[in-house]
């Protein structure tokens, strides 16, 4: 579909189409979790929230605006890859392209594992070198992120993160529908989970193999320049090899399960937590000017 679209248009129309598709995918995935777990959180769900507090509406607004910047940048590389086909540089193709279903499956795993290693290496660079930290630092404004923070990056940071969507078609034949959906749905979907802020009951934060939402919360809260923690995306393997895994005993661990086991996630604690009134996000003036709540308006929504 995307290959045929590019053949029928120019670089600008392809970029606009990819950006529109990306906007729809990201808004639906991030918005659904935000509405369910942030707008009206329940006590039972909150017991699994890594950071017991909720971000202010102004920070959510900043996440969304930065997310839009990230979407516009992230779609440049796949749009360019499609339009390099005519020059002979890109080996992108549409449909089965004569390679078969087995090759599609193979390329999915190449994209998945190769991109995960690439993400770890580049992300770690952003926490070990001052120049790259300056590019990555805008993402770390969100110490307590919401699902909208997945690609809330600055231009250069997001451009380099999305570079495999240009580089891989230069190195091997690859179906661009598969490539875009792998990044737009599979990778972004997992990124939504990582920035969700809630831990899955069946995935222990202490498991040795998979990075969960807790690891990414710790990354946002504790990782800074010269202190890389969990810069990997899917797999803990890369961080284990680099020695950048968060470790703490049960009396100090910040994960929701350990906090709950220590008796810190009581109903009284939940009732005492400020629950921002996110209805301000429906106000056009809030988006246009970042306007504060009107005088006399409640800072938090009523319970119930």
């Amino acid at each position: 579909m995307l290959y045929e679209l590019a053949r029928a248009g120019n670089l600008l129309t392809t970029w606009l189409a990819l950006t529109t598709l990306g906007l729809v995918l990201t808004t639906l995935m991030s918005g659904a979790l935000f509405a369910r777990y942030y707008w009206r959180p329940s006590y039972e769900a909150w017991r699994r929230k890594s950071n017991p507090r909720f971000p202010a509406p102004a920070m959510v607004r900043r996440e969304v605006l930065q997310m839009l910047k990230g979407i516009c940048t992230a779609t440049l590389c796949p749009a360019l890859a499609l339009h390099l086909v005519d020059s002979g540089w890109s080996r992108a193709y549409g449909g089965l392209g004569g390679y078969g279903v087995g090759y599609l499956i193979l390329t999915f795993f190449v994209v998945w594992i190769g991109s995960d290693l690439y993400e770890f290496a580049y992300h770690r660079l952003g926490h070990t070198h001052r120049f790259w930290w300056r590019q990555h630092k805008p993402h770390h404004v969100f110490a307590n992120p919401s699902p909208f923070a997945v690609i809330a990056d600055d231009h250069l940071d997001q451009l380099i993160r999305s570079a495999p969507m240009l580089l891989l078609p230069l190195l091997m034949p690859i179906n661009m529908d598969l490539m875009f959906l792998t990044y737009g749905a599979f990778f972004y979907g997992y990124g939504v989970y990582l920035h969700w802020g809630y831990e899955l009951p069946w995935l222990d934060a202490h498991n040795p193999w998979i990075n969960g939402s807790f690891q990414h919360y710790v990354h946002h809260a504790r990782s800074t320049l010269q202190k890389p923690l969990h810069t990997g995306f899917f797999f803990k393997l890369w961080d284990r090899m680099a020695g950048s895994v968060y470790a703490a005993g049960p009396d100090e661990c910040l994960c929701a399960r350990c906090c709950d086991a220590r008796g810190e996630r009581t109903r009284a604690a939940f009732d005492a937590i400020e629950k921002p009134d996110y209805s301000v996000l429906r106000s056009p003036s809030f988006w246009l000017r970042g306007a504060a709540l009107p005088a006399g308006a409640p800072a938090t929504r009523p319970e119930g």
Side-chain angles (χ1 to χ4, degrees):
M1 180 183 71
L2 296 178
Y3 183 82
E4 287 74 16
L5 176 67
R7 299 299 88 207
N10 54 43
L11 181 59
L12 178 60
T13 58
T14 302
W15 172 75
L16 287 173
L18 293 180
T19 301
T20 301
L21 180 57
L23 178 61
V24 171
L25 285 171
T26 55
T27 301
L28 287 176
M29 286 189 282
S30 295
L33 280 184
F34 183 84
R36 171 65 179 83
Y37 291 95
Y38 284 76
W39 204 289
R40 291 196 174 278
S42 69
Y43 167 61
E44 287 303 322
W46 173 82
R47 290 176 64 187
R48 294 186 283 108
K49 192 173 187 303
S50 300
N51 187 330
R53 301 191 177 277
F54 294 89
M59 292 305 291
V60 177
R61 172 186 178 273
R62 186 170 179 177
E63 285 178 334
V64 173
L65 294 178
Q66 207 154 296
M67 177 191 81
L68 296 177
K69 182 194 300 184
I71 293 169
C72 293
T73 306
T75 50
L76 287 171
C77 284
L80 186 57
L82 285 166
H83 282 273
L84 285 176
V85 172
D86 290 338
S87 68
W89 285 91
S90 176
R91 304 174 72 185
Y93 68 88
L96 292 179
Y99 293 96
V101 175
Y103 185 76
L104 282 179
I105 296 172
L106 172 64
T107 52
F108 168 77
F109 281 98
V110 169
V111 171
W112 180 19
I113 297 172
S115 296
D116 197 64
L117 177 57
Y118 174 89
E119 165 66 16
F120 160 76
Y122 172 67
H123 196 176
R124 183 178 177 85
L125 193 66
H127 286 272
T128 55
H129 291 74
R130 190 171 299 277
F131 172 80
W132 293 109
W133 169 245
R134 286 200 296 269
Q135 317 311 314
H136 184 53
K137 188 176 180 180
H139 187 67
H140 275 264
V141 169
F142 313 113
N144 182 17
S146 85
F148 289 113
V150 184
I151 56 172
D153 303 310
D154 209 7
H155 291 107
L156 181 59
D157 199 26
Q158 186 56 37
L159 183 66
I160 296 176
R161 287 175 182 277
S162 61
M165 288 192 281
L166 172 61
L167 298 176
L168 286 173
L170 300 182
L171 299 174
M172 60 185 290
I174 194 160
N175 180 288
M176 287 305 290
D177 291 332
L178 172 72
M179 168 74 81
F180 191 81
L181 288 175
T182 299
Y183 267 81
F186 185 62
F187 273 84
Y188 189 86
Y190 199 76
V192 169
Y193 158 61
L194 292 183
H195 292 82
W196 177 33
Y198 289 79
E199 299 166 30
L200 294 170
W202 49 267
L203 183 62
D204 193 328
H206 302 281
N207 85 84
W209 304 110
I210 305 297
N211 277 318
S213 60
F214 171 69
Q215 277 72 40
H216 208 71
Y217 160 64
V218 167
H219 172 77
H220 272 262
R222 296 288 183 90
S223 190
T224 185
L225 179 62
Q226 302 303 334
K227 189 179 180 182
L229 283 173
H230 291 286
T231 59
F233 200 65
F234 284 96
F235 306 116
K236 284 183 179 178
L237 174 63
W238 322 122
D239 282 295
R240 288 173 63 189
M241 293 171 62
S244 50
V245 174
Y246 169 81
D251 294 336
E252 299 176 344
C253 180
L254 301 175
C255 83
R257 182 175 296 188
C258 288
C259 289
D260 195 35
R262 294 195 298 264
E264 298 172 10
R265 298 302 174 91
T266 63
R267 180 73 202 204
F270 174 71
D271 292 340
I273 290 291
E274 180 181 0
K275 301 166 188 70
D277 181 8
Y278 291 119
S279 65
V280 71
L281 297 174
R282 295 172 177 163
S283 168
S285 65
F286 182 75
W287 289 101
L288 292 172
R289 299 190 297 273
L293 286 169
T300 59
R301 63 169 181 80
E303 294 289 343

